[in-house]
Amino acid sequence: MIPWMKLSPFGPMVEKAHFEKVKSFIDLSVKQGANIVAGGKIHSEMGSGWYIEPTIFDNVTPEMSLFQNEVFGPLLAVSTFATEEEAIALANNTHYGLAASFYSQNVHRVMKVARQINAGTVSVNGFSEGNITTPFGGFKQSGFGGKDNGLEAFEQYTQTKVIWMINH
């Protein structure tokens, strides 16, 4: 067994083009000044060769491509902040808003911060998209403009028509 596999159950990228996209984010992030804290290796000896270790970056700033884009790969960007307000501003400083996660035991802070983050799903003390009864979809340029799951999903499968007839 390869040692890194103990850390991660991740499989290969879905296709070579996506593998190349995620790999380019790793290369660009390092070039832009982010530090790889863990992972970052390509495992070409495994099957398709499209295996990328889960990778954690620190020193990620809002100007960096990794901060500003949805990667959909095993990359985690770590940014720091000094205040709650700065954290909210950082979370909202992107063209995307699919999901956000944060940790707090203070229920008042949880509700205040969650309401102010512009994302379709805000998870607290873990990561989750909810379940089949909760709508899932992003804000801003994330997603397709609709919602999957929940009653809200019916809207994308419904075309409403009104026929208004007046009898005289």
Side-chain angles (χ1 to χ4, degrees):
M1 178 177 225
I2 298 171
W4 71 270
M5 290 181 71
K6 293 178 187 173
L7 301 174
S8 169
F10 287 98
M13 299 291 105
V14 68
E15 62 184 7
K16 185 172 174 79
H18 188 66
F19 166 80
E20 293 295 338
K21 177 185 173 191
V22 174
K23 185 179 177 305
S24 74
F25 271 104
I26 293 172
D27 298 337
L28 181 59
S29 297
V30 170
K31 188 181 288 185
Q32 290 179 333
N35 299 318
I36 294 178
V37 176
K41 294 182 180 72
I42 307 302
H43 288 275
S44 58
E45 75 279 5
M46 300 182 69
S48 66
W50 303 338
Y51 288 83
I52 298 175
E53 278 184 341
T55 305
I56 301 172
F57 291 91
D58 73 354
N59 202 31
V60 177
T61 63
E63 300 79 28
M64 293 181 180
S65 186
L66 183 61
F67 188 99
Q68 287 295 326
N69 291 285
E70 293 179 319
V71 178
F72 297 107
L75 308 183
L76 173 70
V78 177
S79 301
T80 59
F81 57 89
T83 66
E84 185 176 290
E85 291 75 22
E86 185 182 1
I88 294 165
L90 283 169
N92 292 335
N93 183 23
T94 177
H95 296 289
Y96 301 100
L98 184 58
S101 298
F102 69 94
Y103 292 78
S104 176
Q105 296 302 315
N106 182 325
V107 72
H108 298 290
R109 173 174 283 157
V110 164
M111 295 311 294
K112 177 183 171 190
V113 171
R115 284 188 185 111
Q116 293 180 61
I117 292 177
N118 296 324
T121 299
V122 178
S123 299
V124 180
N125 298 332
F127 177 78
S128 175
E129 296 173 355
N131 63 34
I132 195 68
T133 67
T134 59
F136 177 76
F139 285 14
K140 304 183 234 179
Q141 293 180 24
S142 288
F144 59 90
K147 300 291 184 192
D148 286 329
N149 304 337
L151 294 175
E152 292 78 0
F154 287 115
E155 292 179 23
Q156 65 186 316
Y157 301 108
T158 304
Q159 189 169 13
T160 303
K161 178 185 268 186
V162 174
I163 299 175
W164 190 285
M165 191 163 109
I166 301 172
N167 290 324
H168 291 283

